[in-house]
Amino acid sequence: MSTEHSGRSHGAAAPRTLADDLRTRDDAALAGLLRTRPDLLSPVPNDLTQLATRAGTRASVVRAVERLDRFALQTAEAIAVAPDPCTYGVLEALLTGDPGAVDPETAEAVAAELPRALRTLREQALLWGGEDRLHLVRTVRELLSPTPSSPSPTGLGPTLAEATAGMSPGRLQDILATVGLPATHDPVSALAGLVALFADRARTEALLEGAPVESLAMLEKLRWGPPYGSVQTDSPSAPVTWLLDRGLLVRTAPRTVVLPREVALHLRAGRAHREVEPLPPAPVVRREYPPETADETAAGQALAALGTLEDLLSSWETEPPSVLRAGGLGVRDLKRTATALDLPEPTAVFWIELAYAAGLLASDNEPDECYAPTPAYDEWLRLPAHERWSHVVLRWLTGTRVPGLVGTRDAKGRGLAALGQGLDRGLTADVRRRTLELLAGLAPGAAPAQQSVLARLRWERPL
């Protein structure tokens, strides 16, 4: 196995913790970690042990996982439902399934891209260990693993051992007898016998061949998740009873059953995901314009944007709208502004929020509080057009407020108003910058289909 895959040189002692793993990294690798996860630097850690501890905190892990691309995330999700530690071979099998489970092109792409996905997880200190002992950081595993209240993002549920934790030894022996396995003297060996049965593709398939059609239909409903099902009464129907008696379903509550992970993997032909996506979708170019035409149109739109901002602020200078008691712009004032600008309300919200982000308007802090242009607006008006444009574009690019959320409701059911609270999203600047980088990577004058750009961005930042 190559050192590129394993992330450590041959002959080196295997790391026992993330801190040990970080100690094997050179300065460039540690600098790369701190660039991708800058929150680890605040405050500056005293040593690598403290850095490793901070890298495992839930808030930091959530931020890092949110920035994973689709395939790196699917790789982490697959490791989270694998035995710990996981080997490279087991991981690849979880992503591609049994031979023929995915098309050859996808299988080849997984084989080619898996080292890159593992490298991404290692560089961000979400994974440590060599190919033969891949360990997710404990917090990452907890985030992506199934729990009694929720399945894994893969749709897989608890293992057979977890699902049967409260089952009586007698009940386990009954299941062994029903599936034709010899009785054992303790629950541990009984459970091991069932796990071995479901790991054997041929034996499990032979067991399912005798299942009633209704039982197979129930398994099909649970196969890709959620793995939990409900029964109407404490006495389940005959098809459900057939599955319970063979350990193919396990009762977790009087009226709740779960599909054990081992059984689900058999039904999925060994795959953790219904669709694995190792490669990003390419933007589809809808039309190509001469580059000079694109540049001239862009310049015209920039000037039109400056004119819209001037019209907005000029109207608010003469008729300043009131600030709502809870903060933000009232619906009536928004409608009036949209009519004055001859724009749809969502578009008017965009320009209002942009002017606010650029520091061109704010509350006047008077007793009858209103929104009005700021002194910075007068200075902005005196600048050349290209400097005015640069000023507002940079504020938009680095901003965190999302105008498109206006009119929706927050988690408590409160309406979100323009210029009000609740519009900030931490990843906004990242998404805006990546969108521009994606468009800039196309040929000059190329106009991609909007949905294809969204599909690419969803692959790059699925969470």
Side-chain angles (χ1 to χ4, degrees):
M1 296 181 183
S2 69
T3 56
E4 180 185 6
H5 286 186
S6 66
R8 58 186 176 87
S9 59
H10 294 292
R16 295 176 298 173
T17 63
L18 175 61
D20 284 348
D21 188 272
L22 293 178
R23 291 187 185 99
T24 67
R25 304 188 186 192
D26 58 24
D27 290 346
L30 292 173
L33 166 62
L34 297 175
R35 277 194 298 270
T36 57
R37 296 179 64 179
D39 59 291
L40 301 181
L41 274 173
S42 182
V44 176
N46 295 325
D47 52 34
L48 291 178
T49 299
Q50 192 174 77
L51 177 63
T53 300
R54 191 174 298 167
T57 58
R58 186 175 179 85
S60 181
V61 164
V62 168
R63 280 193 289 269
V65 170
E66 282 180 340
R67 286 171 168 80
L68 293 177
D69 64 64
R70 175 79 68 188
F71 188 54
L73 181 61
Q74 287 187 322
T75 300
E77 290 168 350
I79 299 173
V81 296
D84 186 28
C86 174
T87 66
Y88 191 93
V90 167
L91 172 60
E92 188 170 10
L94 281 169
L95 291 169
T96 58
D98 299 340
V102 298
D103 62 86
E105 288 185 4
T106 300
E108 290 177 8
V110 168
E113 292 297 316
L114 186 52
R116 194 274 309 167
L118 289 174
R119 189 163 57 248
T120 297
L121 296 173
R122 280 199 183 93
E123 288 173 352
Q124 299 199 30
L126 302 174
L127 175 79
W128 57 277
E131 284 186 356
D132 55 336
R133 298 182 67 82
L134 296 168
H135 295 271
L136 280 179
V137 171
R138 184 177 62 183
T139 316
V140 182
R141 179 172 286 275
E142 291 172 353
L143 194 67
L144 301 178
S145 294
T147 67
S149 59
S150 64
S152 154
T154 63
L156 291 168
T159 63
L160 196 62
E162 293 164 343
T164 60
M167 186 177 288
S168 69
R171 177 60 177 155
L172 273 174
Q173 296 300 325
D174 290 341
I175 293 175
L176 290 183
T178 305
V179 298
L181 294 176
T184 66
H185 297 291
D186 62 273
V188 174
S189 56
L191 185 60
L194 278 176
V195 171
L197 169 65
F198 296 140
D200 188 317
R201 294 280 192 266
R203 292 166 66 197
T204 305
E205 197 58 40
L207 178 64
L208 290 171
E209 284 177 0
V213 174
E214 297 86 350
S215 299
L216 294 176
M218 290 176 181
L219 291 179
E220 180 60 28
K221 287 181 180 179
L222 302 177
R223 177 166 63 136
W224 293 107
Y228 295 95
S230 59
V231 292
Q232 297 301 318
T233 65
D234 294 345
S235 299
S237 63
V240 174
T241 299
W242 193 95
L243 296 169
L244 291 171
D245 288 346
R246 288 156 180 79
L248 296 165
L249 289 182
V250 175
R251 193 193 292 268
T252 58
R255 298 190 179 185
T256 304
V257 295
V258 67
L259 180 67
R261 191 181 309 170
E262 293 87 346
V263 180
L265 285 172
H266 172 83
L267 298 172
R268 298 177 177 200
R271 288 178 291 164
H273 301 86
R274 178 179 290 195
E275 293 183 10
V276 65
E277 300 177 64
L279 298 174
V284 177
V285 176
R286 177 175 49 83
R287 187 172 176 181
E288 293 188 19
Y289 297 90
E292 57 272 16
T293 300
D295 289 343
E296 289 171 1
T297 304
Q301 290 295 314
L303 289 173
L306 297 179
T308 299
L309 287 170
E310 290 178 30
D311 290 344
L312 165 68
L313 292 160
S314 176
S315 68
W316 281 23
E317 192 168 30
T318 56
E319 295 184 66
S322 300
V323 178
L324 294 175
R325 185 176 300 177
L329 183 69
V331 174
R332 185 177 300 174
D333 284 320
L334 173 58
K335 289 181 181 295
R336 177 177 62 82
T337 301
T339 301
L341 297 176
D342 194 21
L343 293 172
E345 288 181 28
T347 308
V349 168
F350 173 81
W351 296 113
I352 291 168
E353 284 284 339
L354 179 59
Y356 177 74
L360 305 180
L361 69 84
S363 163
D364 60 8
N365 291 318
E366 295 294 330
D368 294 327
E369 196 174 9
C370 294
Y371 289 110
T374 63
Y377 170 61
D378 296 328
E379 298 175 9
W380 179 77
L381 279 177
R382 290 192 288 269
L383 295 174
H386 68 278
E387 291 187 23
R388 280 183 283 147
W389 172 245
S390 176
H391 175 83
V392 295
V393 166
L394 288 176
R395 299 308 185 278
W396 169 81
L397 184 59
T398 57
T400 59
R401 291 175 64 83
V402 182
L405 294 173
V406 171
T408 64
R409 296 190 175 275
D410 63 14
K412 296 183 178 179
R414 296 172 298 197
L416 298 177
L419 303 180
Q421 298 180 350
L423 300 184
D424 288 280
R425 298 293 184 272
L427 294 177
T428 301
D430 186 39
V431 172
R432 289 172 177 169
R433 181 175 294 277
R434 181 55 199 138
T435 303
L436 293 181
E437 289 172 348
L438 185 60
L439 297 175
L442 301 176
Q450 178 177 319
Q451 289 303 317
S452 71
V453 174
L454 289 172
R456 176 60 174 262
L457 292 172
R458 289 191 184 105
W459 188 93
E460 294 186 357
R461 294 290 187 273
L463 296 183

